[in-house]
Amino acid sequence: MTSIVLPEGGVRRILVCQLRQIGDVLLATPALTLLRRRFPEAEIHVLTESKCVSMLDGNPDVDVVWPLDKKRLSSFFAEVAWYREVAGQGFDIVVDFQQLPRTRWVVAFSGARVRLSFTPPWYNRWLYTHWVKPRDGYAAMSKASVLEPLGIRWDGERPRLWLRPEERATAREILASAGLAEGQRLVTLDPTHRRITRQWPALHYARLIDITAEKAPDVRFLPFWGPGEEADIRRMVAACRVGGNVLLPDRMLTLREMAACIAEADMHLGNCSAPRHIAVAVDTPTCVVLGATGTAWTFPSPEHIDVAARLACQPCNRNACDTLQCLRDLAPEHVFEVAMAHLDRFGKRRD
């Protein structure tokens, strides 16, 4: 690798490539903040998938978003033409956080003087001018470490999601319609996951809800669900003996509505998925149940914690497991004690 030589006239445009997933796009926002701080006059573009665009809406560190819609790129030639369009904006710096086939096309076409990524396999090294081995630790810090050849270091910057006042007002209306009353504490709940090794059993969540109804009757849970998951949520609620402390919206919320409701909550509780990162990004304390994943996804501050069985095999980062012992053996009673102690200490006061 050669040393970085920036344009004499200054850096005019920067492209950051982070196609997916929703939580990962949020985890890239500290890097955007750092780039803005280092190059305040530069125009910062982000290449991401269409489903993730709302996570960047209103972000002052982003000037242009290029939404990749795979359904609209119906042929190989249409794809290549679009990649050329994105790459042809005259970028001085391109940052590729993923090295996916689609981002590699854009990197190759860009001709940017500086093309940064994590250490690539030998056959991709021609695409990049500089690379680093990401630092171990919190995921957003690890991402930001790719910027170190530019003299940029992560210094505790957290993910950020910017909500408009009207979105916060809409969230309060949703919560009131769902039955949240004055003086009640709100915990948003994320009990689903597409990976079985990251999903605490639904019956454990139901038991946790029942214990809370008995021991912390002022707490209300607002569960979220994604496409195709509503039936799972309703089965979980049906398994509760009480269930009156669960607030069910009359429809699936959009990502921005979900974020605004989390911002109104006292705490977020759930599996290791995108909503936990949304909570960090809107300054809501979190308590996350861990299975296969490790603590690198937990923001390093006291208001964000995780709870796990702490078995010798954790974290395994696997998508399949014969026993799921780390999740099944994690008792609802234990999670309740940890979560409620955290809520009492860090939860936002609603009175």
Side-chain angles (χ1 to χ4, degrees):
M1 289 187 297
T2 59
S3 60
I4 287 187
V5 179
L6 296 175
E8 290 185 7
V11 174
R12 297 172 304 143
R13 291 189 183 89
I14 300 170
L15 175 66
V16 175
C17 304
Q18 177 68 58
L19 290 186
R20 59 174 189 261
Q21 298 286 350
I22 291 165
D24 293 297
V25 170
L26 275 176
L27 289 167
T29 58
L32 298 173
T33 298
L34 291 166
L35 285 167
R36 176 69 79 200
R37 191 177 300 159
R38 174 68 175 82
F39 305 105
E41 303 302 320
E43 195 175 81
I44 298 178
H45 297 225
V46 178
L47 170 64
T48 191
E49 291 187 357
S50 296
K51 66 181 180 181
C52 303
V53 168
S54 65
M55 296 294 95
L56 300 172
D57 186 18
N59 190 318
D61 299 320
V62 179
D63 297 297
V64 179
V65 176
W66 294 91
L68 190 152
D69 187 345
K70 290 179 282 189
K71 294 180 181 179
R72 295 184 62 184
L73 302 179
S74 55
S75 71
F76 172 78
F77 297 105
E79 280 197 78
V80 172
W82 192 78
Y83 300 146
R84 282 191 176 277
E85 180 185 0
V86 176
Q89 304 302 307
F91 296 114
D92 300 300
I93 298 173
V94 173
V95 182
D96 183 2
F97 284 129
Q98 293 181 293
Q99 297 183 21
L100 296 174
R102 290 182 170 88
T103 62
R104 295 201 300 266
W105 278 103
V106 175
V107 172
F109 287 145
S110 73
R113 178 175 295 190
V114 177
R115 303 185 298 277
L116 295 168
S117 192
F118 56 87
T119 305
W122 64 267
Y123 51 84
N124 280 337
R125 292 192 175 183
W126 66 275
L127 287 168
Y128 305 97
T129 61
H130 300 80
W131 54 81
V132 298
K133 179 182 178 181
R135 292 182 179 272
D136 292 330
Y138 177 54
M141 180 270 287
S142 183
K143 278 186 185 298
S145 66
V146 172
L147 305 178
E148 290 184 6
L150 294 168
I152 296 173
R153 291 289 295 268
W154 183 80
D155 189 28
E157 290 80 9
R158 68 178 60 214
R160 285 295 180 196
L161 190 154
W162 300 83
L163 293 167
R164 296 182 291 274
E166 55 268 30
E167 291 178 305
R168 299 289 294 261
T170 297
R172 289 190 286 270
E173 292 173 3
I174 291 171
L175 296 171
S177 297
L180 185 67
E182 186 176 352
Q184 293 175 339
R185 291 184 291 174
L186 176 65
V187 175
T188 51
L189 196 66
D190 176 30
T192 64
H193 203 289
R194 64 192 181 96
R195 301 292 189 189
I196 192 67
T197 56
R198 292 153 174 81
Q199 182 172 342
W200 201 42
L203 290 179
H204 284 13
Y205 276 109
R207 175 62 181 154
L208 171 67
I209 290 168
D210 284 337
I211 297 171
T212 306
E214 176 186 351
K215 297 188 176 182
D218 65 318
V219 173
R220 294 295 180 271
F221 292 100
L222 179 75
F224 298 129
W225 63 87
E229 295 176 340
E230 182 175 358
D232 298 329
I233 297 296
R234 296 196 178 277
R235 280 193 292 269
M236 178 196 73
V237 175
C240 297
R241 289 185 296 103
V242 181
N245 54 349
V246 178
L247 311 177
L248 276 180
D250 57 7
R251 59 176 174 80
M252 186 184 78
L253 303 183
T254 68
L255 282 172
R256 299 286 297 188
E257 289 172 335
M258 181 191 304
C261 287
I262 293 174
E264 293 294 312
D266 297 275
M267 187 181 77
H268 175 76
L269 171 66
N271 298 323
C272 184
S273 191
R276 70 174 302 185
H277 304 302
I278 292 175
V280 174
V282 297
D283 294 320
T284 294
T286 62
C287 178
V288 176
V289 180
L290 296 184
T293 52
T295 58
W297 301 104
T298 303
F299 186 81
S301 66
E303 67 270 25
H304 300 289
I305 63 170
D306 47 65
V307 55
R310 312 295 179 193
L311 302 183
C313 58
Q314 289 179 275
C316 67
N317 291 311
R318 294 170 57 191
N319 295 328
C321 177
D322 292 334
T323 68
L324 297 174
Q325 183 182 356
C326 63
L327 292 165
R328 291 174 178 167
D329 288 2
L330 185 57
E333 291 78 7
H334 175 63
V335 175
F336 168 81
E337 295 295 337
V338 173
M340 290 304 113
H342 193 60
L343 177 62
D344 290 340
R345 183 180 179 192
F346 289 103
K348 302 173 183 176
R349 300 298 175 184
R350 306 184 64 82
D351 47 31

